[in-house]
Amino acid sequence: MDLPAARRRRSSGRVTLNDVAREAGVSPITASRALRGERGVGADLVARVQEAVRRLGYVPDPAARALASSRSTQVAVLVPMLSNTLFVDLLEAVHRTLFPAGYQSLIGVTHYDPDEEEMLLRSYLAHRPAGLLVTGFDRTEASRQLILASGLPCVHLMETTEAPGVYCVGFSQTEAGAAITEHLLSRGRRRIAFVAAQLDPRTMQRADGYRRALRQAGCYDARLELLSPDRSSLALGAQLFEELLATRRDIDAVFFCNDDLAQGGLLAAHRLGIEVPARVAVAGFNDLDGSDQMLPPLTTVHTPRFEVGEAGARMLLQLMRSDTPVPSSVRLPYRVVVRQSS
Amino acid sequence: MDLPAARRRRSSGRVTLNDVAREAGVSPITASRALRGERGVGADLVARVQEAVRRLGYVPDPAARALASSRSTQVAVLVPMLSNTLFVDLLEAVHRTLFPAGYQSLIGVTHYDPDEEEMLLRSYLAHRPAGLLVTGFDRTEASRQLILASGLPCVHLMETTEAPGVYCVGFSQTEAGAAITEHLLSRGRRRIAFVAAQLDPRTMQRADGYRRALRQAGCYDARLELLSPDRSSLALGAQLFEELLATRRDIDAVFFCNDDLAQGGLLAAHRLGIEVPARVAVAGFNDLDGSDQMLPPLTTVHTPRFEVGEAGARMLLQLMRSDTPVPSSVRLPYRVVVRQSS
DNA sequence: CTGAAAGCGCTTACAG
DNA sequence: CTGAAAGCGCTTACAG
């Protein structure tokens, strides 16, 4: 054991593919192919390899695999913010779909900042992920180039486009915004305010839907929009609702761009003694936890984030297998949930 | 270019450490050392290497690094559930501390299931993380062994122990549970109910604190505990509150083990026309988003999850540098936040 | 303080 | 359908 070769060993005692191959009486290449389910390997050999794996307790080394194949089993998933529970649900669905297929989610939170997204992208791309899941289409030109140059399969979540070669799963934020506005119109409301925070692209698409619906009804009034770049929260919703009521006294409805704001607005209405929906109807967006518990229960749009996460992950799985998903753009249904606040 | 050697090339065109070394006129080993800030490299050489890195746009390959050093720059972080925004805050603080130091968080969600934690641990350990951040101490024996056998630095979050060799940052869930109960006692309440969901270890520690405080005051009554193994949510809080009021009519206060339950309870009280705090005082735990907006604003315990995340990540950073953190167990302060619900 | 050699544990590309 | 050789891009261990 004092041979130079032995002294140079750095072996960690880890069970390697070589050990498995020897145990199964095949070559390492065959063992590798058998493990990865590459077809063209005899069924008997596959069985022998799997048995050897079980007996030895072999665990493949992702680092070695990534180095040799220049592709890991990690999928980078970029979302704006976890305090918006919408994205927690999305991640949950992504994880449930990807993990059983052998992929880990490498979660990145961009805080709605394109520059931060670009930085995360650089960092994660170095890890040779097997694929990319990103939120929406709004990013820096450099980010776009990074994604393109990586040549990695990439699926865009939450929004859709028909641009060729772009894979995406989402729903129409604009139409959903219009739908909830039309619901308020159908209740006889005419002075419908729009209150938004964060002002990210999807929020502004909802704003577009709101505007379109009101213009169509001949009720649009730009002064009824209250937009704040601050982070969305119940407290901000309450504050904006108060501000709205103090400055636009004739409104008869409010569409909040997210349920947390709407919940805050509803609580503020209580505090101010403003009757909902008698005096003002209130609607939210996303159908988050607690909205059905509010007083009165909140009318909102139930968005298919679980479905988006699952379908998006499935599409990515196809791309990673070099299959071509058809269609490349999937638009999922949302649902207006009418409760007592409108 | 038709030499056998050339035909076998798989080069991805990637800029490698070799390129950097050549550009800087040093050996790859020296370049490697200079990049990792290993001391014992001449300052002039370090500068030349860094200049070459900049010029070539070199990005180190984490897979190759992990394979060669059997250590990656990823830190596995295991939390129970992201729908409890407590853990979103924790992760945020962890990421803010680890990322600038060159580490990525590999987030794993256990869903409060020790078996799922074990599975995630196996999967993540294969990735040779540089360190481990786990929630609490309650896990399978196999998980414990996996962590031990990995030899990786590991910091436990949210709870503390004085057991030697165990690194942890948290606060006393038991004392915090006792403190909020004592606050209710100090308000003259004597029939104080305890309502809990999920029933994870930390929830049960809060229950212990509740019991201890009430026993000390001679007010403990086991029938005032309402424990549900279901997932915590506003809806469940509302339901449990109704159940409590229907079956324990003489209570004068409720301590909910988490703010989401308490918020649901407060909303249920409104619906039922039960005055808070006149008829029943209500207290929560964690001080989550919206608790200050409730009607009335919720009395709760503000828990130091940002601080736990940051201090825990810092401690892990020390361990990964092979420093020995002193002390090995850090107990952070919580704060009883008295609002109008009590 | 710097370097030449070997190796980490896989997979790719070629051959048969 | 199976395999021997080379290589992925780093770092470790040894030497000077």
Side-chain angles (χ1 to χ4, degrees):
Chain A
M1 284 303 112
D2 245 334
L3 307 169
R7 289 162 94 236
R8 284 193 170 264
R9 291 223 132 263
R10 286 192 258 156
S11 161
S12 49
R14 185 171 185 131
V15 178
T16 74
L17 191 60
N18 265 311
D19 302 328
V20 172
R22 201 177 312 125
E23 177 86 6
V26 299
S27 75
I29 307 94
T30 301
S32 168
R33 284 199 272 251
L35 281 178
R36 278 173 299 135
E38 215 177 74
R39 55 199 195 130
V41 183
D44 49 332
L45 288 192
V46 172
R48 258 159 61 199
V49 169
Q50 279 171 346
E51 175 56 22
V53 164
R54 213 195 41 67
R55 217 155 36 220
L56 266 39
Y58 169 72
V59 179
D61 185 325
R65 180 172 278 181
L67 183 58
S69 69
S70 66
R71 197 125 305 178
S72 76
T73 58
Q74 301 192 326
V75 169
V77 190
L78 266 28
V79 295
M81 197 90 117
L82 294 180
S83 59
N84 189 345
T85 55
L86 177 80
F87 294 109
V88 169
D89 294 344
L90 184 76
L91 287 179
E92 182 69 34
V94 165
H95 175 260
R96 273 196 217 153
T97 310
L98 253 28
F99 195 81
Y103 294 95
Q104 288 86 34
S105 307
L106 202 55
I107 299 169
V109 180
T110 69
H111 302 97
Y112 287 104
D113 178 352
D115 291 330
E116 191 167 350
E117 184 187 50
E118 185 182 322
M119 195 185 55
L120 287 170
L121 215 41
R122 283 182 204 284
S123 157
Y124 286 4
L125 247 21
H127 283 268
R128 310 166 177 262
L132 258 30
L133 246 22
V134 299
T135 305
F137 300 110
D138 180 62
R139 47 186 46 83
T140 66
E141 187 51 35
S143 291
R144 241 181 290 276
Q145 290 305 326
L146 281 170
I147 294 175
L148 222 57
S150 75
L152 292 176
C154 177
V155 176
H156 303 73
L157 304 177
M158 299 311 288
E159 301 178 48
T160 66
T161 176
E162 294 304 326
V166 179
Y167 296 95
C168 50
V169 178
F171 60 94
S172 173
Q173 305 275 346
T174 309
E175 280 183 19
I180 187 80
T181 307
E182 280 155 14
H183 158 74
L184 293 170
L185 285 165
S186 78
R187 289 291 208 242
R189 309 291 166 158
R190 288 298 173 266
R191 298 292 291 166
I192 304 173
F194 177 67
V195 175
Q198 196 65 61
L199 311 187
D200 60 281
R202 286 163 299 289
T203 295
M204 297 320 289
Q205 289 163 31
R206 287 168 215 159
D208 286 342
Y210 155 86
R211 289 168 192 154
R212 196 181 72 194
L214 287 190
R215 284 213 182 88
Q216 252 165 35
C219 298
Y220 181 66
D221 179 349
R223 288 166 304 176
L224 298 187
E225 294 185 5
L226 187 51
L227 308 181
S228 162
D230 294 344
R231 225 200 73 190
S232 197
S233 72
L234 271 86
L236 182 63
Q239 183 195 312
L240 293 175
F241 184 81
E242 288 197 35
E243 184 178 335
L244 191 68
L245 268 286
T247 55
R248 287 85 157 170
R249 304 204 53 90
D250 62 338
I251 62 163
D252 57 15
V254 189
F255 165 27
F256 288 94
C257 77
N258 201 33
D259 270 14
D260 55 357
L261 293 177
Q263 292 179 9
L266 243 23
L267 291 164
H270 256 282
R271 259 194 304 273
L272 300 171
I274 293 173
E275 281 184 73
V276 176
R279 162 78 182 80
V280 182
V282 173
F285 200 95
N286 276 330
D287 196 17
L288 302 181
D289 185 39
S291 287
D292 60 339
Q293 296 298 311
M294 297 308 290
L295 298 169
L298 180 67
T299 290
T300 185
V301 178
H302 182 84
T303 52
R305 60 263 198 182
F306 280 107
E307 293 79 357
V308 167
E310 191 185 323
R314 273 190 207 298
M315 189 182 273
L316 187 66
L317 244 20
Q318 283 189 56
L319 287 167
M320 293 189 299
R321 272 190 237 106
S322 302
D323 292 352
T324 304
V326 177
S328 59
S329 174
V330 174
R331 190 173 273 203
L332 263 19
Y334 54 84
R335 193 160 35 84
V336 173
V337 179
V338 179
R339 298 203 183 97
Q340 286 84 322
S341 70
S342 69
Chain B
M1 281 303 112
D2 244 332
L3 307 168
R7 290 161 96 235
R8 283 192 171 265
R9 291 225 133 263
R10 287 193 259 155
S11 162
S12 47
R14 186 172 184 129
V15 177
T16 73
L17 192 59
N18 266 310
D19 302 328
V20 171
R22 199 175 317 121
E23 176 87 6
V26 299
S27 75
I29 309 95
T30 300
S32 167
R33 284 199 273 252
L35 280 179
R36 279 173 298 133
E38 215 178 72
R39 51 195 201 136
V41 182
D44 49 332
L45 289 191
V46 172
R48 258 158 64 198
V49 169
Q50 280 171 345
E51 175 55 22
V53 164
R54 213 194 43 67
R55 214 153 39 219
L56 265 42
Y58 169 71
V59 180
D61 185 326
R65 179 172 277 181
L67 183 57
S69 69
S70 66
R71 198 123 306 176
S72 76
T73 56
Q74 299 191 327
V75 169
V77 189
L78 266 29
V79 295
M81 197 90 117
L82 294 180
S83 59
N84 189 344
T85 53
L86 179 79
F87 293 110
V88 169
D89 294 343
L90 185 75
L91 287 178
E92 181 69 33
V94 164
H95 175 260
R96 270 194 221 157
T97 310
L98 251 30
F99 195 82
Y103 293 95
Q104 288 85 34
S105 307
L106 203 54
I107 298 170
V109 180
T110 70
H111 302 99
Y112 287 104
D113 178 352
D115 291 330
E116 192 167 350
E117 184 188 51
E118 186 181 320
M119 196 185 56
L120 287 170
L121 217 38
R122 283 183 204 285
S123 158
Y124 285 3
L125 247 21
H127 283 268
R128 311 165 177 261
L132 258 31
L133 247 21
V134 300
T135 305
F137 301 110
D138 181 63
R139 47 185 46 85
T140 67
E141 187 51 35
S143 291
R144 242 181 289 277
Q145 291 304 324
L146 281 171
I147 293 174
L148 222 56
S150 75
L152 292 175
C154 177
V155 175
H156 303 73
L157 304 177
M158 299 311 288
E159 300 177 49
T160 66
T161 175
E162 293 304 325
V166 179
Y167 296 94
C168 51
V169 178
F171 60 95
S172 174
Q173 306 274 345
T174 309
E175 279 182 22
I180 187 81
T181 308
E182 280 156 15
H183 159 73
L184 293 170
L185 284 165
S186 79
R187 289 290 207 241
R189 309 291 166 157
R190 288 297 173 268
R191 301 291 291 166
I192 304 173
F194 177 68
V195 175
Q198 197 63 60
L199 311 186
D200 60 281
R202 286 164 299 288
T203 295
M204 298 319 289
Q205 289 162 30
R206 287 168 216 162
D208 286 343
Y210 156 85
R211 289 167 192 153
R212 196 181 74 193
L214 287 189
R215 284 214 182 88
Q216 253 166 31
C219 297
Y220 181 65
D221 180 348
R223 289 167 303 177
L224 298 187
E225 294 184 5
L226 187 50
L227 307 180
S228 162
D230 294 342
R231 224 201 74 188
S232 198
S233 71
L234 272 84
L236 182 62
Q239 184 195 313
L240 293 175
F241 184 82
E242 288 197 35
E243 184 178 335
L244 190 70
L245 270 284
T247 56
R248 286 87 156 168
R249 305 204 53 90
D250 62 338
I251 62 163
D252 57 14
V254 190
F255 165 28
F256 287 94
C257 77
N258 202 33
D259 271 13
D260 55 358
L261 293 176
Q263 292 178 9
L266 243 24
L267 291 164
H270 255 281
R271 259 193 304 274
L272 300 171
I274 293 172
E275 284 183 71
V276 176
R279 160 80 182 81
V280 182
V282 174
F285 200 93
N286 275 330
D287 196 18
L288 301 181
D289 185 40
S291 287
D292 60 340
Q293 296 298 311
M294 298 306 291
L295 299 168
L298 180 65
T299 290
T300 187
V301 178
H302 183 84
T303 52
R305 60 264 195 183
F306 280 107
E307 292 80 356
V308 167
E310 190 185 324
R314 273 190 207 295
M315 189 183 275
L316 186 66
L317 243 20
Q318 284 189 54
L319 287 166
M320 293 190 299
R321 270 188 237 110
S322 303
D323 292 352
T324 304
V326 176
S328 59
S329 174
V330 174
R331 188 172 276 202
L332 262 20
Y334 53 84
R335 193 159 36 83
V336 173
V337 179
V338 180
R339 299 200 184 98
Q340 286 84 320
S341 72
S342 69

